[in-house]
Structure formats: structure tokens, C-alpha cells
Amino acid sequence: MKQLAETRFPHLFAVTELDKLPGLFKPRRYLYHCARCKWSFVVNDGRRGALRPIAEDGKTLTREEVVARAETFAAGPCPAMRAVAEAHLHVNGSHGRAPANVERSRQPEVRTNQLQH
């Protein structure tokens, strides 16, 4: 589990360009939607670089939820991937280590080009 805690699982985003805010130098807004956990974020909402997590069901998020989701935007962890990894480790019982009975993969041997004589 220690390895799981140290590993980052980033979001897998689909990005959609939204409308441009009114004003001469206002940035374009983008909707980032994670295909794994279904969380959505609006970037450049109001000012350049602003990030606003939005709820998937239309409800308003609490301040704590907004902060927690915003912290995962750049590097993760994606909650869906964390759940998958924890389930995988639990089923395998490996706790982040390769089982002893699994043979280590060999390095592929380097071959010269056989077409040249």
C-alpha cells in the first residue's frame, strides 16, 4: 500500500472549448471532463488561469469538495484510478510488490539487421 500512496494517477481529460467571455483581452474558457471519474473543471472562468470544479449532477459543491477536487486537477490522483488500483492490489495481495513466483521478464536481445549481407 505504501507504493500505492506514493503513486499518482492523473485524470484522463477530454477538453472542450467553451465560449469566449465578453471583453477585448478575456481568455477562452475550456471544459475539462475526466473520462474515468466524470469530474469536470472549467478553466479560465472569469480570469486567465482560474480553475472551477463543477458538480456532475448540477448540485453546488461545498467549499471542501471544491478544494479537494482542485488539488487533483494537475497531477491527480483520479479517484476512479485510485479505486481500481486499490481493488487490484487487494485481489492480488501483492501490496505493490511483484509476487515471488512470477518470473522476471527478460530483456529482448538486440539483433543486427538481417537484410544486410
Side-chain angles (χ1 to χ4, degrees):
M1 287 303 234
K2 183 177 180 184
Q3 183 181 9
L4 178 65
E6 295 172 358
T7 306
R8 292 290 196 169
F9 301 105
H11 291 281
L12 179 64
F13 286 120
V15 182
T16 305
E17 185 176 345
L18 300 174
D19 58 338
K20 187 174 185 279
L21 294 173
L24 190 58
F25 296 107
K26 295 289 184 176
R28 290 207 174 268
R29 298 185 318 151
Y30 296 93
L31 176 67
Y32 283 69
H33 180 75
C34 181
R36 293 181 182 134
C37 67
K38 310 299 184 220
W39 284 4
S40 296
F41 302 86
V42 177
V43 178
N44 294 338
D45 193 26
R47 67 183 197 288
R48 190 172 309 277
L51 175 70
R52 183 174 53 102
I54 55 176
E56 56 275 355
D57 55 2
K59 298 179 190 174
T60 57
L61 297 173
T62 64
R63 174 86 174 140
E64 292 78 27
E65 290 173 322
V66 168
V67 170
R69 288 187 183 198
E71 287 176 351
T72 69
F73 178 76
C78 177
M81 287 305 295
R82 178 174 289 265
V84 167
E86 287 175 353
H88 177 73
L89 291 177
H90 179 69
V91 168
N92 289 342
S94 63
H95 299 293
R97 298 181 303 274
N101 60 352
V102 174
E103 187 177 310
R104 302 270 184 218
S105 63
R106 295 184 343 195
Q107 293 289 338
E109 59 184 70
V110 178
R111 296 183 177 180
T112 59
N113 190 351
Q114 296 177 354
L115 296 176
Q116 295 177 348
H117 289 100

